[in-house]
Amino acid sequence: FSAPDLSLNILTEDATFTLHGGRLLVNGSFITEAYVVARVGDCPSQSPASKCAGARRKLFHLSFLSGELNDQNTGFGFLHGHCGGNHFTGGLGFRKQC
């Protein structure tokens, strides 16, 4: 998916597995990785380009890696990214403001 100032890309994996003690066979897929790139900031779209440069229009990169999840599908290091040149790693309960 992409739109002005935003893109999303996902990697999926096909799988066949059972649920409910083997009573239900599922042929499906699941997301293993997701990547988001967005231009963030508070500059209105009608403003001149010169007023939207620098700190007000930062690039935000975020990666979700399911291989970093624990057995309960949670964790503290499955999100990686950077915003405005500052790297971060996070997970359960994580919040980030650029």
Side-chain angles (χ1 to χ4, degrees):
F1 169 82
S2 66
D5 296 329
L6 175 67
S7 69
L8 168 68
N9 191 358
I10 61 169
L11 178 65
T12 61
E13 186 174 316
D14 293 331
T16 301
F17 53 95
T18 60
L19 294 174
H20 305 293
R23 295 187 314 257
L24 176 63
L25 178 66
V26 178
N27 291 310
S29 62
F30 54 93
I31 295 173
T32 58
E33 299 176 17
Y35 303 92
V36 176
V37 178
R39 186 165 304 277
V40 297
D42 60 356
C43 189
S45 59
Q46 66 272 16
S47 294
S50 62
K51 294 192 181 230
C52 293
R56 298 182 75 190
R57 299 296 289 164
K58 298 176 189 174
L59 275 179
F60 174 78
H61 295 251
L62 177 69
S63 301
F64 162 80
L65 306 172
S66 67
E68 302 290 329
L69 295 169
N70 62 27
D71 291 340
Q72 289 78 37
N73 286 328
T74 63
F76 297 100
F78 58 88
L79 298 174
H80 302 272
H82 57 90
C83 187
N86 298 313
H87 183 266
F88 61 85
T89 300
L92 187 64
F94 180 74
R95 294 180 65 158
K96 176 66 180 167
Q97 182 174 350
C98 293

